[in-house]
């Protein structure tokens, strides 16, 4: 809501993110994060932002009701609290998805290792390489297996570290 309104008003005024950032005395990346909804300005910065965009704070927040100054600050504070809560919930959801993806990756790597080790036992090693097709296919299969055996442990260890870092802390 805030991010969309801010971006629309900035564009309607013909300002770039850089120009708005200069007016607010912040870096362009800060304005970009606000517009992407990755962070929100604090209440003082929100007032400066409204002034720089020549609009009201309530318009930035998507409200059309005019309020008194004290009520306006309370409403702004409440809106920012809701936005911060939503951002925190998104961060937790992304962390949970990443955690389960890493667990799935570890399981998949372990399964492929088990299949390669116990089921296939490199059957291409016993092939007759006198024909070109068999030779090319054998080299391709061996290359893929070699690449997997060399990279999978590194990916597996990285995924285990990621699982440890993204675990839910009580």
């Amino acid at each position: 809501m805030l991010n969309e309104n801010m971006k629309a008003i900035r564009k309607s005024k013909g300002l770039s993110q850089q120009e708005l950032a200069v007016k607010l005395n912040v870096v362009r990346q800060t304005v970009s994060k606000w517009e992407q909804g990755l962070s929100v300005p604090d209440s003082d910065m929100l007032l400066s932002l409204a002034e720089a965009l020549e609009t009201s704070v309530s318009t930035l927040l998507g409200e059309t009701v005019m309020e008194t100054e004290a009520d306006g600050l309370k409403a702004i504070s409440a809106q920012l609290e809701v936005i911060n809560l939503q951002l925190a919930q998104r961060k937790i959801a992304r962390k949970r998805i990443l955690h389960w993806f890493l667990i799935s990756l570890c399981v998949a790597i372990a399964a492929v290792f088990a299949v390669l080790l116990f089921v296939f036992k490199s059957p291409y090693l016993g092939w007759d390489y006198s024909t070109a097709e068999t030779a090319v296919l054998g080299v391709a299969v061996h290359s893929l297996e070699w690449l997997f055996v060399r990279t999978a442990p590194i990916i597996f260890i990285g995924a285990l570290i990621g699982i440890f870092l993204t675990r839910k802390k009580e």
Side-chain angles (χ1 to χ4, degrees):
M1 177 188 328
L2 169 65
N3 58 335
E4 295 163 354
N5 292 342
M6 187 176 118
K7 187 175 185 177
I9 294 169
R10 176 185 59 79
K11 285 186 174 186
S12 72
K13 300 287 183 184
L15 292 172
S16 68
Q17 287 182 344
Q18 181 64 39
E19 292 168 333
L20 181 58
V22 168
K23 283 187 173 189
L24 297 172
N25 227 8
V26 297
V27 295
R28 184 201 58 79
Q29 289 82 354
T30 302
V31 174
S32 176
K33 284 183 180 180
W34 292 341
E35 289 185 357
Q36 292 175 10
L38 298 176
S39 66
V40 292
D42 62 21
S43 57
D44 291 335
M45 186 56 72
L46 195 57
L47 293 170
S48 300
L49 181 61
E51 186 178 310
L53 292 174
E54 300 169 355
T55 188
S56 67
V57 173
S58 60
T59 303
L60 281 174
L61 295 175
E63 297 176 0
T64 55
V65 179
M66 297 303 262
E67 300 171 343
T68 64
E69 186 67 24
D71 290 342
L73 289 177
K74 287 180 186 176
I76 291 169
S77 175
Q79 288 268 343
L80 289 175
E81 187 175 337
V82 168
I83 292 170
N84 280 331
L85 181 62
Q86 289 172 344
L87 288 172
Q89 288 172 341
R90 278 190 213 161
K91 184 178 179 181
I92 290 169
R94 284 189 207 123
K95 188 176 177 180
R96 191 176 307 131
I97 289 169
L98 177 62
H99 181 77
W100 285 106
F101 170 75
L102 292 172
I103 289 173
S104 301
L105 182 63
C106 285
V107 169
I109 289 173
V112 171
F113 258 117
V115 167
L116 286 175
L117 187 63
F118 299 114
V119 177
F120 287 128
K121 297 180 185 173
S122 301
Y124 57 86
L125 294 177
W127 289 353
D128 177 21
Y129 286 96
S130 60
T131 63
E133 293 85 10
T134 310
V136 170
L137 184 60
V139 169
V141 172
H142 179 69
S143 299
L144 290 174
E145 184 179 13
W146 183 88
L147 183 66
F148 178 78
V149 169
R150 298 299 184 259
T151 60
I154 296 167
I155 295 169
F156 188 78
I157 291 169
L160 287 177
I161 292 169
I163 290 169
F164 177 73
L165 293 175
T166 60
R167 74 189 186 287
K168 184 176 179 180
K169 295 174 181 120
E170 303 299 326

